[in-house]
Amino acid sequence: MGEPEHIRSTYNDIHNIIRGTSDKIASEFKPDMFIAIGGGGFFPARVLRTFLKDPSTKTNIPIQAIGLSLYESLPGTTVEQLNGEVVRTQWLGPDPGKRLLGRRALIIDEVDDTRKTLQYALSELQKDVEAELQLLPESERDSKRTKFAVFVVHNKLKPKLGKLPPNIPYFAGAEVEDVWLDYPWEVIDIEEHDRLAKEDKERKNITVEEH
Ligand code: 5GP
């Protein structure tokens, strides 16, 4: 079996994809908190913050960080295991539910591949919210329940193993085939990465012109 096709994304590619989706997120969801899934969601969250402000205070949107890893990639780990497949490696600080109550939280990752990570992230965050809501009088719970949405830079067009409820707004900066994406923050030699990305683009343009 051959190597899967790789597509190299540059920092500028990603910046422009995020810029292109920011107006839609601002008008359709209006987040007042970002929850970045580490490590791939960190850089996109910071870039998105350049284009969005908190809708009521007009200030910068706070970025919270969580870490989830597919369990197979962490042999021998002692971190908490979730349903045998995904583990929390980092979570919101103490009282996570309190931080979330009443907020409009946008969960951010770089890529939606099998969707397992997004499903676990959302369901775990919702559990924290529900636990916190139990401490409030029933009449206040609905108004304080956190609204969640999801933003990914790339969504791979493929059958998904994880599911997101249909009422959760979902924003993808770009839809891609089921290829492997090489992100700039993963490479050691960024000049070489950018040079190869440029070559790939030129080659693709030539192929398109030939057809
Ligand atoms: P999931 O399969 O749960 O949607 O994605 C799990 C994680 O695998 C992602 O958050 C990302 O870190 C990693 N991943 C999935 N597809 C790719 C890819 O094409 N390139 C890179 N660099 N990481 C990926």
Side-chain angles (χ1 to χ4, degrees), residues 40 70 109-118 156 179-183 186:
L70 293 184
D109 209 354
E110 87 279 42
V111 55
D112 175 0
D113 183 15
T114 65
R115 202 164 279 174
K116 277 191 196 173
T117 303
L118 288 168
K156 293 192 198 176
V179 295
W180 190 259
L181 297 147
D182 291 328
Y183 289 101
E186 296 168 338

Side-chain angles (χ1 to χ4, degrees), residues 14-136:
I14 290 162
H15 194 101
N16 287 326
I17 288 174
I18 294 170
R19 184 180 182 185
T21 322
S22 58
D23 280 354
K24 194 171 159 64
I25 297 172
S27 63
E28 293 180 15
F29 184 63
K30 302 181 180 60
D32 60 12
M33 175 191 271
F34 291 164
I35 300 177
I37 304 180
F42 293 169
F43 181 80
R46 176 58 190 90
V47 176
L48 184 61
R49 197 170 82 165
T50 297
F51 302 110
L52 294 187
K53 295 283 173 227
D54 182 302
S56 49
T57 63
K58 306 288 176 230
T59 53
N60 279 335
I61 295 174
I63 302 176
Q64 304 281 340
I66 61 171
L68 287 173
S69 255
L70 293 184
Y71 192 63
E72 314 79 275
S73 63
L74 290 170
T77 185
T78 55
V79 289
E80 184 186 352
Q81 185 175 347
L82 299 174
N83 292 349
E85 281 178 316
V86 176
V87 290
R88 290 184 183 196
T89 54
Q90 181 183 345
W91 208 247
L92 308 171
D95 295 325
K98 275 202 177 58
R99 287 163 193 255
L100 293 166
L101 240 49
R103 309 298 295 248
R104 302 181 63 82
L106 183 69
I107 301 169
I108 302 179
D109 209 354
E110 87 279 42
V111 55
D112 175 0
D113 183 15
T114 65
R115 202 164 279 174
K116 277 191 196 173
T117 303
L118 288 168
Q119 178 185 323
Y120 280 100
L122 176 67
S123 68
E124 290 301 299
L125 290 163
Q126 283 176 327
K127 274 187 216 162
D128 288 341
V129 170
E130 292 308 315
E132 195 64 34
L133 286 174
Q134 292 310 309
L135 307 175
L136 295 180

Side-chain angles (χ1 to χ4, degrees), residues 159-175:
K160 302 293 186 180
L161 300 175
K163 298 269 173 288
L164 293 170
N167 63 333
I168 299 293
Y170 178 92
F171 304 93
E175 311 272 9

